[in-house]
């Protein structure tokens, strides 16, 4: 699996006339090597090196058979790396401009006198957009746990329980049911607070008539899931019903439209235009969706800026929302796999408005 990814990366390097790349972003290190400790990689046309310190040597040797494991002990991890690179005779070395700190960049440059150091952005992230079968299975599993947690929390919601208690219960349930952690800090936003798209749970107590938005995900074998549902405590009023049905219809239209070869921008537009048509254009201020994988937010994006075409095997969220200040908000989010002629929806929880 990793040798295939290394070959793909090498093809990419040679297309760009790069002799090698220093990989420093943890998710990219894991994707290319399978190593989840601290350290970094150097992948050249012929060699694959993993630099780490004493704490991880045993683990690295076991987890990464495709890599030569090199131990560093100096204050600057890049000194050892620079020596190796010079001995290999590279003319240039790419690095991840979106991840390396200025301090380390300057160190690297000073050690690599005579080697051209070239900034890249998103080279491995691009490889990561299309998931293989193994990755898809893991993400499915993560989403299954997330759906189960939603079913579980419905029994737990009642007037008087706080947002923080609900969030904690979701997270506890997911970990008890096979998640190694959460994909991101759970969002629970109730009542007027539900107009905050990313409301952090507070000690606010649930009250009759509240909208409650839950946005959460599990992490399984390093991969994330992501879903959002909005429910009502008690009987919904007319405005709540209206907003909910608009968001639901916007999502339905986007899900019907989404498939391989359309751009993220176009899918975003389908939902956005519908919401605007209904008079809530200014109340939908975020992107329609994003890629999900080793990171909770990754390429591709489904937004006005999503120029690239979607491809089979990409995993993205579709999550329109409407947020009205001092009133509340609704977001509905599913996680889907792009296919040739549509998508496979991994989120199984009902989207009919749940009134508790
Ligand atoms: Mn999301």
């Amino acid at each position: 699996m990793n040798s295939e990814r290394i070959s793909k990366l090498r093809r990419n390097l040679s297309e760009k006339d790069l002799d090698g790349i220093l990989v420093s972003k943890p998710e990219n290190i894991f994707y290319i090597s399978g190593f989840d400790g601290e350290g970094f990689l150097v992948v050249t046309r012929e060699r694959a090196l993993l630099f780490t310190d004493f704490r991880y040597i045993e683990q690295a040797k076991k987890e990464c058979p495709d890599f030569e494991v090199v131990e560093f002990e100096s204050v600057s991890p890049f000194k050892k790396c620079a020596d190796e690179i010079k001995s290999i005779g590279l003319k240039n070395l790419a690095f991840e401009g979106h991840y390396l700190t200025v301090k380390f960049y300057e160190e690297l440059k000073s050690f690599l006198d005579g080697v051209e150091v070239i900034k890249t952005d998103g080279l491995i992230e691009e490889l990561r957009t299309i998931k293989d079968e193994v990755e898809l299975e893991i993400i499915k599993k993560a989403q299954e746990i997330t759906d189960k947690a939603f079913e579980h929390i419905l029994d737990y919601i009642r007037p008087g329980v706080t947002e923080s208690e609900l969030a904690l219960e979701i997270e506890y349930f997911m970990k008890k049911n096979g998640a190694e952690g959460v994909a991101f800090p759970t969002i629970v936003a109730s009542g007027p607070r539900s107009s905050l798209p990313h409301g952090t749970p507070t000690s606010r107590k649930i009250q009759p008539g509240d909208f409650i938005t839950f946005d959460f995900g599990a992490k399984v074998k390093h991969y994330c899931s992501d879903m959002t549902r909005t429910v009502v405590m008690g009987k919904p009023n007319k405005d709540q019903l209206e907003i909910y049905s608009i968001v639901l219809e916007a999502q339905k239209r986007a899900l019907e439209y989404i498939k391989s070869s359309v751009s993220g921008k176009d899918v975003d537009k389908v939902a956005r235009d519908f919401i605007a048509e209904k008079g809530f254009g200014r109340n939908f201020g975020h992107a329609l969706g994003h890629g999900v994988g080793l990171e909770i937010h990754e390429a591709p994006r489904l937004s006005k800026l999503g120029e690239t075409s979607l491809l089979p095997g990409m995993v993205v969220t579709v999550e329109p929302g409407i947020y009205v200040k001092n009133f509340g908000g609704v977001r509905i989010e599913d996680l889907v796999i792009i296919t040739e002629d549509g998508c496979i929806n991994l989120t199984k929880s009902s989207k009919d408005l749940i009134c508790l």
Side-chain angles (χ1 to χ4, degrees), residues 215 226 228 290 296-297 317 319 333:
D215 185 350
D226 191 4
T228 306
H290 53 86
I296 184 60
H297 294 127
T317 66
E319 49 177 312
E333 173 181 35

Side-chain angles (χ1 to χ4, degrees), residues 4-285:
E4 220 173 278
R5 292 176 185 177
I6 296 168
S7 317
K8 272 192 197 156
L9 175 60
R10 282 184 173 138
R11 266 204 299 278
N12 222 320
L13 291 176
S14 80
E15 276 166 21
K16 295 182 166 66
D17 278 327
L18 298 168
D19 289 346
I21 183 168
L22 175 103
V23 184
S24 54
K25 185 169 163 177
E27 292 85 359
N28 291 343
I29 292 172
F30 178 76
Y31 184 76
I32 296 295
S33 70
F35 178 63
D36 66 1
E38 286 175 45
F40 55 93
L41 312 176
V42 171
V43 178
T44 73
R45 308 272 181 103
E46 269 100 38
R47 310 222 355 227
L49 302 135
L50 190 163
F51 295 85
T52 189
D53 64 61
F54 174 79
R55 294 169 299 165
Y56 299 102
I57 292 295
E58 191 183 334
Q59 175 192 343
K61 286 187 173 157
K62 210 169 118 199
E63 285 178 354
C64 315
D66 298 316
F67 280 76
E68 301 167 51
V69 176
V70 183
E71 183 175 348
F72 64 75
E73 49 191 24
S74 71
V75 243
S76 172
F78 295 130
K79 177 77 179 77
K80 184 96 184 174
C81 159
D83 293 344
E84 288 281 345
I85 286 165
K86 282 195 208 155
S87 77
I88 297 170
L90 298 190
K91 283 196 214 60
N92 65 47
L93 178 76
F95 69 97
E96 302 185 292
H98 55 300
Y99 199 81
L100 203 65
T101 63
V102 174
K103 174 183 146 76
F104 280 141
Y105 166 73
E106 282 173 351
E107 264 178 34
L108 186 67
K109 251 189 100 158
S110 72
F111 291 139
L112 281 176
D113 196 22
V115 179
E116 195 189 354
V117 179
I118 299 171
K119 183 173 86 172
T120 60
D121 184 2
L123 209 125
I124 296 172
E125 281 82 352
E126 198 189 314
L127 298 178
R128 281 170 39 201
T129 57
I130 298 173
K131 274 69 181 175
D132 62 31
E133 282 306 317
V134 178
E135 294 178 292
L136 292 176
E137 279 312 307
I138 298 170
I139 295 171
K140 269 186 206 168
K141 175 75 191 153
Q143 184 51 46
E144 263 172 45
I145 294 170
T146 310
D147 272 315
K148 264 200 209 165
F150 180 64
E151 197 189 326
H152 170 76
I153 205 67
L154 291 177
D155 277 341
Y156 199 85
I157 306 168
R158 60 186 184 278
V161 69
T162 68
E163 293 172 345
S164 303
E165 284 165 343
L166 291 171
L168 180 65
E169 185 61 25
I170 287 175
E171 296 185 356
Y172 177 75
F173 181 92
M174 291 195 299
K175 285 186 91 164
K176 234 187 152 177
N177 283 273
E180 62 203 26
V182 293
F184 56 94
T186 300
I187 291 169
V188 179
S190 66
R193 294 194 73 252
S194 61
S195 71
L196 305 172
H198 273 192
T200 321
T202 66
S203 57
R204 184 184 184 277
K205 291 186 165 80
I206 303 302
Q207 294 165 27
D210 278 353
F211 259 149
I212 316 168
T213 297
F214 296 95
D215 185 350
F216 57 107
K219 199 167 247 194
V220 174
K221 294 182 180 165
H222 297 86
Y223 285 84
C224 301
S225 61
D226 191 4
M227 76 177 272
T228 306
R229 287 292 182 269
T230 303
V231 303
V232 175
M233 182 78 250
K235 203 170 149 6
N237 63 34
K238 206 174 120 275
D239 293 338
Q240 286 174 319
L241 287 172
E242 189 203 354
I243 289 178
Y244 193 89
S245 69
I246 295 168
V247 174
L248 184 58
E249 179 62 23
Q251 198 215 26
K252 196 178 142 212
R253 290 184 181 209
L255 288 172
E256 272 164 16
Y257 181 85
I258 202 167
K259 63 173 183 173
S260 167
S261 84
V262 302
S263 70
K265 192 170 79 175
D266 291 343
V267 190
D268 179 89
K269 190 170 161 29
V270 170
R272 199 168 299 284
D273 284 354
F274 179 76
I275 289 174
E277 217 176 89
K278 295 289 173 187
F280 289 97
R282 279 189 302 172
N283 303 86
F284 176 27

Side-chain angles (χ1 to χ4, degrees), residues 297-348:
H297 294 127
E298 57 180 52
R301 43 181 164 192
L302 271 55
S303 77
K304 289 174 192 165
L305 303 171
E307 298 287 346
T308 48
S309 288
L310 300 178
L311 290 167
M314 287 181 169
V315 175
V316 298
T317 66
V318 177
E319 49 177 312
I322 292 179
Y323 311 92
V324 182
K325 206 178 160 200
N326 299 324
F327 171 77
V330 172
R331 181 169 61 257
I332 305 172
E333 173 181 35
D334 286 348
L335 188 62
V336 309
I337 306 171
I338 304 297
T339 61
E340 210 57 68
D341 49 7
C343 70
I344 299 167
N345 196 332
L346 300 180
T347 313
K348 307 295 182 197

